[in-house]
């Protein structure tokens, strides 16, 4: 399994990685143009790390399998984006929002936290097989992504499941 993640892949998979880079570049530029920096700096930082890491896979024609595993994280993005849409539509107090919150947390644990943990473990166990510069970029990338995702998980838990007594009181008054 370890060799398959760093070996060269067919051209179609490299094109898939190029499309991913294109998506993150487009989203990066869109956020720069349409959002305030203090609102989007974390996502801009995240996108920068993804662009660099996926760019290495494309440029070296290696580690495409590792990058494909990283895309499992994006499965959870479906539910994160649906959560944002429901918030913007003011549908927080609906069954749909509650159901999405539960699915969101479940997919977050499986597809974000577990995938990132597996990737960090794989990188550590295969450090002798990865060139030092690539290993350094991968390690720094994981060191950035893991805390960011743990913090976001905490925010989601706090926001959707553990409201403060002040928030509960305010909602009762409405």
């Amino acid at each position: 399994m370890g060799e398959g993640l760093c070996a060269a892949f067919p051209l179609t998979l490299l094109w898939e990685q190029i499309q991913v880079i294109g998506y993150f570049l487009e989203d990066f530029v869109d956020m720069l143009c349409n959002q305030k920096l203090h609102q989007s700096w974390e996502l801009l930082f995240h996108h920068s790390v993804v662009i660099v890491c996926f760019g290495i896979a494309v440029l070296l024609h290696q580690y495409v399998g590792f990058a494909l595993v990283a895309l499992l994280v994006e499965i959870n993005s479906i539910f994160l984006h649906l959560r944002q849409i429901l918030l913007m539509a003011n549908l927080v107090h609906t069954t749909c929002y509650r159901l999405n919150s539960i699915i969101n947390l479940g997919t977050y644990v499986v597809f974000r936290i577990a995938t990132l943990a597996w990737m960090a473990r794989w990188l550590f166990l295969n450090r002798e097989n990865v060139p030092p510069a690539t290993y350094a970029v991968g390690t720094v990338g994981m060191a950035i992504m893991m805390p960011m995702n743990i913090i976001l998980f905490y925010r989601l838990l706090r926001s959707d499941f553990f409201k403060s007594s002040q928030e509960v009181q305010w909602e009762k008054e409405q």
Side-chain angles (χ1 to χ4, degrees), residues 1 20 55 57 62 69 89 100 146-147 149 167 174:
M1 177 78 170
V20 169
Q62 290 186 317
V69 170
N100 184 69
M146 291 184 76
N149 278 280
E167 289 174 312
Q174 300 301 319

Side-chain angles (χ1 to χ4, degrees), residues 76 79 100-112 153:
N76 171 255
F79 303 101
N100 184 69
S101 294
I102 293 166
I103 295 170
N104 187 25
L105 284 185
T107 59
Y108 203 100
V109 170
V110 172
F111 292 109
R112 282 191 184 265
F153 184 72

Side-chain angles (χ1 to χ4, degrees), residues 38-58:
H38 75 276
Q39 294 173 320
S40 61
W41 73 268
E42 289 173 321
L43 267 177
L44 291 169
F45 192 52
H46 165 272
H47 283 24
S48 300
V49 172
V50 171
I51 290 165
V52 168
C53 291
F54 277 55
I56 288 172
V58 169

Side-chain angles (χ1 to χ4, degrees), residues 5-58:
L5 291 179
C6 54
F9 273 80
L11 190 58
T12 54
L13 292 180
L14 286 173
W15 278 111
E16 183 272 335
Q17 297 299 299
I18 291 168
Q19 289 175 337
V20 169
I21 293 169
Y23 163 77
F24 280 101
L25 281 170
E26 185 280 327
D27 203 41
F28 185 94
V29 171
D30 181 64
M31 282 188 285
L32 276 179
C33 294
N34 298 309
Q35 291 183 7
K36 294 180 178 156
L37 186 59
H38 75 276
Q39 294 173 320
S40 61
W41 73 268
E42 289 173 321
L43 267 177
L44 291 169
F45 192 52
H46 165 272
H47 283 24
S48 300
V49 172
V50 171
I51 290 165
V52 168
C53 291
F54 277 55
I56 288 172
V58 169

Side-chain angles (χ1 to χ4, degrees), residues 77-97:
S77 293
I78 297 164
F79 303 101
L80 281 173
H81 289 297
L82 179 56
R83 179 182 180 276
Q84 279 303 121
I85 291 167
L86 293 170
L87 283 170
M88 289 187 293
N90 200 24
L91 296 172
V92 177
H93 302 290
T94 64
T95 303
C96 185
Y97 184 87

Side-chain angles (χ1 to χ4, degrees), residues 1-7 63 66 115-127 129-130 135:
M1 177 78 170
E3 287 180 21
L5 291 179
C6 54
Y63 311 106
F66 194 74
T115 298
L116 291 172
W118 184 89
M119 290 174 68
R121 180 182 178 274
W122 183 91
L123 195 58
F124 177 75
L125 293 176
N126 290 280
R127 64 190 175 278
N129 303 325
V130 179
Y135 180 76

